[in-house]
Amino acid sequence: MATTLITGGTVVTATGRSAADVLVDGEVIVAVLAPGSVLLGSDLARTVDRVIDATGKYVIPGGIDAHTHMELPFGGTAASDTFETGTRAAAWGGTTTIIDFAVQTYGQRLMDGLAAWHAKAEGNCAIDYAFHQIIGDVNDDSLQAMDGLVDEGITASSCSWPIRGCSTPTTPRSCGPCRSRPARAWSR
């Protein structure tokens, strides 16, 4: 794979900002180093395939937006961003991954709701994506299927209280079984 070194920029991370170089191998950030570092045994600028001069620019390595709503139907409307437009905008802002909410609608099988969201996203995203799962029909089948969500990489789900204008008939009583699921379903 091609290697790229981003130099001269101000790297912004969760802990602050500093002058640093970012080494990328293919699509993976493999190092954030002091400018001009030879820590990896060589002058990286001479050994990589491509050098990008980011002088005067912010470099945001691997931003993640963990709460997005692409194409989400809500109260008779839908979110204005598609997976294509939303992830393209995210990429321009430095975000490399989104975690969107897949929706199970009332009367739909839980895994069919997840499959529908995969179909919306597949081939339409400019960046990486993952999903949380909205449980829109809490019933015995959905509760059983929740354990299978972990096998699909879904480690968080949402069961919301009723909101005026929405047709999902979720009640406080129906959310109780979601909260009492075994911990294995929520961490992986």
Side-chain angles (χ1 to χ4, degrees):
M1 289 204 181
T3 53
T4 302
L5 183 65
I6 304 170
T7 64
T10 300
V11 173
V12 180
T13 67
T15 59
R17 58 186 178 178
S18 63
D21 292 344
V22 178
L23 179 62
V24 181
D25 186 3
E27 295 182 359
V28 178
I29 298 165
V30 294
V32 177
L33 305 158
S37 174
V38 292
L39 186 63
L40 298 178
S42 66
D43 177 3
L44 291 175
R46 293 178 190 252
T47 59
V48 297
D49 298 307
R50 180 177 178 205
V51 176
I52 297 173
D53 181 6
T55 301
K57 296 179 172 62
Y58 289 115
V59 179
I60 306 170
I64 298 172
D65 187 341
H67 188 120
T68 64
H69 295 290
M70 304 298 164
E71 303 182 36
L72 179 74
F74 188 80
T77 66
S80 60
D81 272 317
T82 65
F83 280 94
E84 179 183 2
T85 63
T87 60
R88 191 178 329 149
W92 276 102
T95 298
T96 60
T97 303
I98 63 164
I99 306 177
D100 199 66
F101 283 82
V103 178
Q104 172 209 25
T105 58
Y106 187 73
Q108 182 182 46
R109 291 181 53 240
L110 184 62
M111 296 309 237
D112 290 345
L114 177 59
W117 243 252
H118 274 292
K120 289 176 185 232
E122 190 173 336
N124 294 311
C125 291
I127 60 175
D128 294 330
Y129 63 90
F131 294 115
H132 305 290
Q133 181 69 53
I134 292 176
I135 312 297
D137 189 4
V138 179
N139 57 46
D140 289 340
D141 290 337
S142 294
L143 293 171
Q144 274 190 325
M146 286 177 74
D147 290 335
L149 289 175
V150 176
D151 296 331
E152 296 293 324
I154 312 298
T155 59
S157 65
S158 174
C159 178
S160 300
W161 304 113
I163 298 173
R164 186 178 303 174
C166 294
S167 60
T168 303
T170 305
T171 65
R173 184 169 177 248
S174 67
C175 284
C178 292
R179 286 193 309 265
S180 66
R181 300 301 297 162
R184 139 178 148 62
W186 312 119
S187 62
R188 182 170 176 156

